[in-house]
Structures are given as structure tokens and as C-alpha cells.
Amino acid sequence: MRRQALALTLATAAATLAACGPTGSGADAAPAAAKPAAATVAAPDTAALPEPINVVTAPPETGTPTEPAAAPSTSAPATPTPTASTARPSATASASAAAAGKATAAATTPAKPAAGGGGPIAIGYNAAADSPAAVDAAIRQAKSDGRNVLLDFGATWCGNCKALDKTLGDSQVQSVLNASYHLVQVDIGGHSTTNFNLLKKYDSQGSYKMPVLIVVTPDGAVRTDTNTAGLPSLNTGGFTSFLKKWAP
């Protein structure tokens, strides 16, 4: 009888221990580490590419050209602390700037070659020039000597315009220009509504691939417009061929 009672007691104790589970599995056990959430990588927005440097556009309602947007900078440049040497330009720097300004003014002063030939034609875009008056004068001269008018719309910050300026200064090109054309260069990179509207008079598109070269006859008719026909080669040989093709 005692043996049966002892066996029953031991069986009851074993059942109780089994119900509690292994050590540390109850409420006092440390909770299992939560699984980390899956990393989420959002695709970056694709930034709009800036317009090519040789293209200028303007809203039709304002007619004001807009320079191509510069590519966004990835890091902010450090702001230098003004010093005595940087706060005020030196006399040498001021003299150099003045000399550079005089040289630029001289290079952009329109030349007036004589009919049928003349001296070297000055090359360069002059934002301060009265371009509509210059075009009117060229048309009047064309009517008197039978030459065409070559209108060159561009900007000083345009890469192709710089290449064309170099070609226009070539003696072979200047010879053809003097014989067959009156050249008028018009700056459309300086936010001039007047100059931009002058371009729209001959080409009403709202986006222009600079330089825009337009050959106009003495009666004001457009013979060719490179914004629609495409630019010729801007080296000496290619541009000379272009000039001879559209000469009167």
C-alpha cells in the first residue's frame, strides 16, 4: 500500500515538471530576437539632364531666352573668408579688367566693309549693339550692292559659336564674306527680348540650335536657315562651301 502511494506521488510530480517545459521556456525566458525588417531601397529619381550648351529656348509669351541649366552640384563649395587681398581688387587687377573691357569692345564693334570688298570684318557678339538697326542697315546696303545678308544669332557662352567666330576670322572666309555678304552677328544669350524677337522675325520656332545662321536676300527673303536645315561644317573649308552655295 505504501509502495503504491509513493509511486503515485512520484508520477504526479513528474507530470507537473513535464507541464512546465524546459528551463527558461516560460514567461521568464528572454523573448526571441525580432527578425530585422527587409531593407527597402527606393530607386532614386532620375534628374532631368540639362539642355545642351548650344541650345537656347524661350517661353513664347515672353520671348526671353533662357540659358541652359547648369548640372546640380553634389557638394556645397566652401565659402571663403574675405581677406584684405580678396575684399578689394588690387590696382593691377582693375587695370587688367579695364584693358580686357576695351579689347572686348574693340572686337565687337561692327565693321562696315566697302561694297564688293574691304578690310577685315570684326567678329564677335555685342549684347549692347542695336541689332535691329544693324540688320536694317545691312538690308539697305544689300539692296544697293546686290550682296546677301548673313545673320548670325548666337551667344558668347555657346561652344559652336566660339568655333564659328574662329572660322569667321580666317582670311579665306573673310574674302568670301566681303565679296558676297553683309555679316550681322546678334547676341541672343544675354536675355535680350529685342534680339530674340529679331530672330523670331526670320524663324518663329521656340527652340534654337546655336549659332543660327540665316541668309537673307536684299528684298528680305530667307534663303536658308540652319536652325531647320542644319549647321554646315564650321571649319574653313566647310564654311566657305556654305557661303559660296548661298551667295547671290
Side-chain angles (χ1 to χ4, degrees):
M1 194 68 175
R2 289 180 180 178
R3 291 179 179 177
Q4 291 178 352
L6 179 58
L8 180 59
T9 299
L10 291 175
T12 301
T16 301
L17 290 174
C20 292
T23 304
S25 63
D28 294 336
K35 292 183 179 180
T40 302
V41 180
D45 293 334
T46 303
L49 294 176
E51 293 183 0
I53 197 170
N54 294 320
V55 175
V56 63
T57 58
E61 64 273 12
T62 63
T64 303
T66 304
E67 292 187 19
S73 175
T74 56
S75 60
T79 303
T81 302
T83 63
S85 60
T86 59
R88 180 180 299 176
S90 65
T92 302
S94 299
S96 299
K102 291 180 179 179
T104 301
T108 56
T109 300
K112 297 180 180 180
I121 300 173
I123 306 302
Y125 300 102
N126 184 359
D130 186 347
S131 296
V135 172
D136 289 343
I139 293 291
R140 287 195 301 270
Q141 289 179 321
K143 288 179 179 179
S144 66
D145 59 30
R147 287 187 277 175
N148 282 339
V149 176
L150 176 61
L151 303 179
D152 171 14
F153 295 88
T156 56
W157 44 261
C158 161
N160 280 347
C161 302
K162 294 177 181 178
L164 177 59
D165 276 357
K166 183 177 180 180
T167 299
L168 288 172
D170 181 86
S171 59
Q172 181 180 345
V173 173
Q174 291 240 337
S175 177
V176 178
L177 282 173
N178 267 318
S180 303
Y181 293 92
H182 294 283
L183 173 65
V184 181
Q185 291 183 282
V186 182
D187 183 280
I188 56 172
H191 300 286
S192 169
T193 301
T194 299
N195 289 355
F196 198 85
N197 286 339
L198 181 61
L199 170 56
K200 291 176 69 176
K201 175 181 177 180
Y202 297 97
D203 183 334
S204 60
Q205 297 188 49
S207 180
Y208 302 90
K209 300 178 289 295
M210 296 186 296
V212 181
L213 303 174
I214 301 178
V215 176
V216 181
T217 63
D219 60 2
V222 174
R223 292 209 65 194
T224 188
D225 173 5
T226 62
N227 192 50
T228 55
L231 274 174
S233 175
L234 298 181
N235 58 34
T236 298
F239 196 70
T240 300
S241 297
F242 169 81
L243 292 177
K244 290 180 177 180
K245 177 179 179 180
W246 299 108

